[in-house]
């Protein structure tokens, strides 16, 4: 009987300890973030479908254009896809179908039979390709419109008629009133605060990324992604010619952790040249050091039409955040 009592007491103690452990675990567990639905982000289905295709195209850049067009067309034909997602797929298809040729590498169109070939496009020294209009080297701006037409010979003067008697002199006109001073030229438009006159244009990604449960209070974070074509001064140290800078900002988050536990990557493919690659975005001490977390990378993409996707995780001082992929298109001169 005493042995039975000891067994029952031991079992009761073990069950009580297990219940305490389970209760303690539930009491201190973080609430699971709510899933993101297509109603909250109607373009998300296209992003989730096309981001892996861009990564696949980067592994086979020779077939990148046809691969992207086929995937985008197939998705756009899906009757169940949201309209925003279809529009995004159509935008990808259009961008891939007609890659932009870099200005610095363009040559003139093929000449008609019997005419000499046109000279290649040469950019003068000191001119950034694709950013300003310019004359070919060696052309005097004074003659930019071409030589003046030769003057036609003057015709022989006709014989003068007989002079008529001069009419009486008319009275002198009254002095004209003082003419109003010409209006002053309009002042140049003011530069927005925080922007320099030479601020480079940025090229936003097609759709924001979403970090599920990334905020300190457990809420979701929207992240903006953009590309800056070089040469430019931002983000520091600035992309050079033929480079693309990527900037990813997780809105509403705290500062980035010193050590990123898992990477946030950008995979890109140059549809013009067939070049491709992958790079890891990292915290930039010169941009939002106290938050929101901002990650950057400068990549040697070369000039041309660049299709990119950013995906992965971000480590803030509060959270480890998984971000949905996003895709973007950019033109580098």
């Amino acid at each position: 009987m005493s042995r039975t009592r000891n067994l029952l007491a031991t079992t009761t103690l073990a069950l009580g300890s297990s219940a305490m452990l389970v209760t303690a675990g539930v009491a201190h567990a973080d609430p699971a973030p709510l899933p993101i639905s297509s109603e909250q982000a109607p373009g998300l289905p296209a992003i989730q479908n096309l981001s892996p295709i861009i990564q696949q195209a980067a592994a086979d850049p020779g077939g990148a254009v046809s691969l992207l067009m086929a995937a985008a067309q197939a998705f756009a034909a899906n009757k169940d896809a949201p309209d925003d997602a279809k529009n995004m797929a159509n935008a990808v298809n259009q961008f891939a179908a007609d890659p932009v040729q870099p200005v610095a590498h363009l040559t003139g169109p093929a000449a008609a039979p019997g005419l000499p070939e046109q000279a290649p496009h040469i950019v003068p020294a000191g001119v950034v390709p694709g950013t300003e209009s310019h004359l070919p080297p060696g052309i005097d701006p004074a003659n930019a419109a071409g030589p003046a037409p030769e003057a036609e010979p003057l015709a022989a003067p006709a014989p003068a008629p007989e002079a008529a008697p001069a009419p009486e002199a008319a009275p002198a006109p009254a002095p004209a009133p003082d003419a109003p001073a010409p209006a002053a030229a309009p002042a140049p438009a003011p530069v927005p605060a925080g922007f320099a006159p030479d601020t480079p244009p940025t090229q936003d990604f097609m759709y924001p990324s979403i970090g599920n449960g990334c905020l300190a209070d457990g809420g979701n974070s929207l992240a903006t992604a953009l590309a800056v074509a070089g040469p430019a001064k931002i983000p520091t140290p600035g992309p050079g010619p033929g480079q693309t800078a990527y900037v990813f900002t997780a809105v509403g988050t705290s500062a980035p952790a010193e050590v990123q536990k898992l990477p946030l990557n950008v995979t890109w493919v140059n549809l013009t040249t067939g070049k491709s690659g992958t790079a890891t975005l990292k915290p930039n001490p010169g941009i939002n050091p106290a938050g929101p977390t901002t990650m950057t990378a400068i990549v040697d993409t070369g000039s041309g039409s660049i299709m990119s996707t950013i995906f992965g995780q971000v480590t803030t001082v509060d959270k480890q955040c998984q971000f949905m992929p996003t895709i973007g298109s950019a033109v580098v001169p």
Side-chain angles (χ1 to χ4, degrees):
M1 177 64 72
S2 60
R3 181 178 179 184
T4 301
R5 289 177 180 175
N6 290 337
L7 287 174
L8 289 174
T10 303
T11 302
T12 303
L13 180 62
L15 290 174
S17 300
S18 300
M20 291 177 62
L21 289 173
V22 172
T23 304
V26 172
H28 292 85
D30 292 332
L34 297 175
I36 299 172
S37 66
S38 58
E39 294 180 357
Q40 295 174 303
L44 190 59
I47 297 292
Q48 293 176 322
N49 181 277
L50 295 176
S51 176
I53 300 298
I54 296 175
Q55 299 176 52
Q56 185 178 348
D60 180 22
V65 171
S66 57
L67 182 63
L68 281 171
M69 290 181 62
Q73 291 172 1
F75 186 89
N78 183 0
K79 297 180 180 179
D80 297 330
D83 289 339
D84 284 1
K86 291 181 180 180
N87 293 338
M88 192 171 303
N90 287 327
V92 171
N93 178 54
Q94 183 177 0
F95 186 81
D98 188 20
V100 175
Q101 297 295 325
V103 174
H105 299 282
L106 282 177
T107 58
L115 296 179
E117 294 184 0
Q118 298 189 33
H121 180 83
I122 300 176
V123 179
V127 174
V128 179
T131 61
E132 55 184 307
S133 59
H134 58 84
L135 296 173
I139 299 298
D140 186 351
N143 300 325
E150 296 183 2
E152 297 182 358
L154 297 176
E162 294 183 2
E168 295 181 1
D178 293 339
V191 178
F195 290 87
D198 58 348
T199 298
T202 59
Q203 302 174 74
D204 294 336
F205 271 47
M206 296 181 179
Y207 209 74
S209 179
I210 303 176
N212 202 355
C214 191
L215 300 182
D217 60 0
N220 296 338
S221 169
L222 287 178
T224 61
L226 56 87
V228 181
K233 296 180 180 179
I234 60 169
T236 55
Q243 291 185 323
T244 303
Y246 295 95
V247 183
F248 184 94
T249 302
V251 179
T253 60
S254 54
E258 294 184 4
V259 177
Q260 295 294 305
K261 297 180 181 179
L262 293 172
L264 180 73
N265 292 328
V266 55
T267 295
W268 55 272
V269 57
N270 188 325
L271 302 178
T272 303
T273 64
K275 188 178 180 181
S276 64
T278 297
T280 298
L281 287 79
K282 298 180 180 179
N284 190 327
I287 304 178
N288 303 330
T293 292
T294 302
M295 314 283 281
T296 66
I298 297 178
V299 184
D300 293 322
T301 58
S303 300
S305 295
I306 316 298
M307 182 65 71
S308 311
T309 178
I310 295 178
F311 56 95
Q313 297 197 20
V314 170
T315 308
T316 72
V317 294
D318 299 321
K319 296 280 186 175
Q320 181 66 34
C321 309
Q322 173 73 45
F323 277 91
M324 301 290 182
T326 180
I327 60 178
S329 59
V331 176
V332 180

